[in-house]
Amino acid sequence: MIGRIGRWFDERGKLSKLWQSQMVDYKVPKNLTFPYAFGVMATVAFLIQIISGIFLVMYYQPNIHTAFDSVNYTIMKEIPFMWLIRHIHAAGANFFLAIVYLHIFAGIYYNAYKKPRELTWIVGFFIYFVLLATALSGYLLPWGQLSYWGMVVTTEIPTSIDSAPIIGKLKIGETISVWMKGGYELGQITLGRFFGLHIWLLPLILLGLVGFHFYLIRAHGITSPDGREIDKKKEGVPFHPYMTLKEGVYLMVYLAIFFFFVFFYMKHFLPADNYDPADPFKTPAHIAPEWYLLAFYAIFRSIPNKFLGFVMFSVALLLLLILPFLDFSPLRSTRNRPLFFVMFVVLVISSMALTILGSMSPTPTVAFLGLIFTLTFVSFFISLPIISILELRKYKAEGGSKND
Amino acid sequence: MIKTIFFTVLTLAFFYIVWINNIFAPHEKYEMPPEHRMIAMDYKNAKEGRELFIQNCASCHSVRYDAIYPAQVQANPMLKQLQEKYGKVLPRDVYEAVFMNDLNSMKESYGKIPPDLSTIYLVKGPEYLYNFILEPQKVLPGTAMPPVMTGRPEDTAKIIAYLMSVSEPSPAEKAKRNIMGVVTIGYLIVMGILIWIWRERILKRMGLH
């Protein structure tokens, strides 16, 4: 019976044809390594966020008087199993961002941004950017002390434009800040608009961008770890079952780690200070952003001038965006590029160090170290054109053509 | 191989620092004698702690999630009517609007409305609460909190046990959650192993191995 219904559907929907053409006939290099699984893990993390978010929004109340209680009483204590959904959503957000960071670094390591995949990288950058906005707006919703003061600090960032020499007179920053908050103080309007952004607009933009990202990956095929484009007719293994099952195993391990945190270790993902209801008259002792923004926060903080800090912070983001154009070397994948490998290690270590420095209390030593690691962070991007020229010369001397 | 190990160790160390134990971030440490810690961590003391809380703390503090309101609100005849309409735990906006006069008179005598303690255990942790309740002025100079419990460390520990019981799931519930967690993780690991075995077989049959 079920088989007959399935056949009826298949004859009309042509589903098995779609499966055959998209999953089985799609050939990928055989030597894909573990970091290639971060993409599929990020997709699963996104789905988990959407599903758990749909359930959370059934009980959440976007009202500054009742938001805190709807989260901490209704969701956590009253409705059965909603604690689990909230744990999944809170830990899921952190895992999603962690996986996206790993995915970004894997992309840099395997040079997955090179021609013809520049657009894939740029779309990916915007996914990352919108994701940060989603995380920030979602963090406001429980209306605890950290939510409130975190958003106060975030909406103050644009005002640093106002300390610029000439444009500062125009007070653009303050206008943007007021526009973000919907008033001079954080209140019901702020909560309402960030709630709307978090549950509708930003996830929809993300869905569109992720769809485009997928399409681009399919259009150009996936890179291989040794940097060689495969001939899809002769080489390569079918995506299903070779890769799907391999990534399925990785996914199970990932989910096992994820659920370990969900059930047994939520201390970091539901921080203690956020169990305090928001109070506009009480500033908490330590206001630091969430870990995924700490690196940018450290860059911002270690530069004495507020406007220059803002410029540096924007430059760091912009450099990430134009990365495909900075690196024009004919060689692909770090496996073939010893110089690039050294600079990649510098990049990884300086981003990690900046994140950790961002979580420390601001002392002159921390600011000085922050400045040094900001310079090493930027030095990766500055070194890319130089490495590219050196490699291009060596490549030509060895007799390779540039358009390989 | 060396590169893989290097990056794996680096990533794991990074996430250990950022997510689990940030040795670099500023910490505040408070001490608590182990015997009182035992009392505070024991869920069985919560009932006695609740009585102690009503006697000593509830004249000013509310625990709204457990339907305990300050004495002045408790004396207000509106409370019963509202609880019939909204249930025992009143919505915060209703509570603050209806009992505004009572809350404001407390604000006049203490300088601020004594905070609601429904989630205070999760915010401050048992060690801070123990030290603060015993000697408020020493931990937070200038606070309006009177030293009600000074010299009664055991009763203080019982009150903390009560505050814990309001915020944290009961031991039975906790055991249930732990079993759920172990079953979920076990299922995922078994599925992972099964997928791996299946993959090996399929690849052998397809000659892709």
Side-chain angles (χ1 to χ4, degrees), chain B residues 12 17 24 49 53 67 72 87 154 175 186:
Chain B
L12 290 180
I17 290 174
F24 301 103
F53 186 91
Q72 215 166 336
E154 267 174 43

Side-chain angles (χ1 to χ4, degrees), chain A residues 21-267:
Chain A
S21 66
Q22 293 305 309
M23 301 295 276
V24 183
D25 292 343
Y26 173 59
K27 295 286 198 292
V28 292
K30 198 179 174 183
N31 56 348
L32 293 191
T33 49
F34 172 69
Y36 278 85
F38 291 139
V40 80
M41 285 179 194
T43 315
V44 169
F46 188 28
L47 291 179
I48 288 175
Q49 286 312 92
I50 290 178
I51 294 165
S52 57
I54 287 171
F55 284 103
L56 281 175
V57 85
M58 292 175 185
Y59 299 103
Y60 175 75
Q61 296 174 11
N63 175 320
I64 53 169
H65 300 292
T66 48
F68 184 83
D69 285 353
S70 75
V71 171
N72 287 299
Y73 186 73
T74 312
I75 288 177
M76 292 298 274
K77 296 173 84 72
E78 235 183 356
I79 316 286
F81 290 105
M82 279 309 283
W83 62 269
L84 179 60
I85 307 284
R86 187 182 179 215
H87 281 196
I88 288 175
H89 201 72
N94 284 277
F95 269 79
F96 192 4
L97 274 150
I99 291 293
V100 164
Y101 272 115
L102 293 173
H103 190 54
I104 291 172
F105 280 107
I108 297 177
Y109 187 84
Y110 291 118
N111 291 177
Y113 48 79
K114 290 211 159 174
K115 198 186 167 191
R117 300 188 181 85
E118 293 101 325
L119 193 57
T120 321
W121 175 268
I122 290 167
V123 172
F125 174 84
F126 284 110
I127 293 176
Y128 166 64
F129 193 76
V130 176
L131 191 62
L132 286 184
T134 318
L136 266 176
S137 57
Y139 202 61
L140 180 71
L141 302 187
W143 207 249
Q145 274 288 68
L146 283 182
S147 310
Y148 184 90
W149 289 98
M151 192 48 80
V152 167
V153 173
T154 312
T155 48
E156 261 170 23
I157 292 174
T159 61
S160 51
I161 304 173
D162 292 351
S163 55
I166 299 158
I167 10 166
K169 294 251 162 50
L170 295 169
K171 297 279 169 212
I172 304 168
E174 205 184 303
T175 316
I176 296 174
S177 169
V178 170
W179 174 72
M180 276 170 85
K181 287 185 273 197
Y184 286 95
E185 268 174 39
L186 256 71
Q188 180 58 50
I189 295 173
T190 327
L191 182 60
R193 62 175 56 177
F194 278 99
F195 173 69
L197 286 177
H198 184 75
I199 68 157
W200 276 116
L201 186 62
L202 295 176
L204 275 181
I205 295 174
L206 267 183
L207 267 179
L209 286 173
V210 168
F212 192 36
H213 197 66
F214 276 11
Y215 162 73
L216 287 170
I217 291 165
R218 267 304 152 85
H220 296 302
I222 206 155
T223 56
S224 76
D226 50 18
R228 204 171 48 87
E229 296 285 333
I230 59 159
D231 181 358
K232 280 187 187 146
K233 293 215 173 78
K234 290 177 198 151
E235 304 169 78
V237 287
F239 185 66
H240 178 79
Y242 196 93
M243 277 306 150
T244 44
L245 293 184
K246 193 173 167 185
E247 296 197 334
V249 177
Y250 292 151
L251 210 57
M252 291 298 147
V253 176
Y254 164 69
L255 286 176
I257 296 169
F258 172 62
F259 277 103
F260 171 78
F261 278 91
V262 165
F263 282 102
F264 301 109
Y265 199 87
M266 285 301 291
K267 218 165 77 191

Side-chain angles (χ1 to χ4, degrees), chain B residues 50 54 58-59 61-63 66-80 83 88 95 99 102 106:
Chain B
R50 190 171 191 270
I54 292 170
S59 51
H61 287 291
S62 57
V63 182
D66 196 30
I68 290 182
Y69 297 99
Q72 215 166 336
V73 173
Q74 210 89 38
N76 194 324
M78 286 295 280
L79 181 65
K80 230 170 168 196
Q83 280 185 326
K88 283 215 137 182
Y95 171 73
F99 302 109
D102 301 313
M106 279 201 285

Side-chain angles (χ1 to χ4, degrees), chain A residues 30 69 77 242 268 275 359, chain B residues 22 64-65 119 166 199:
Chain A
K30 198 179 174 183
D69 285 353
K77 296 173 84 72
Y242 196 93
H268 177 78
Y275 282 110
S359 70
Chain B
N22 193 337
R64 289 193 302 108
Y65 293 180
T119 50
V166 177
R199 180 175 184 270

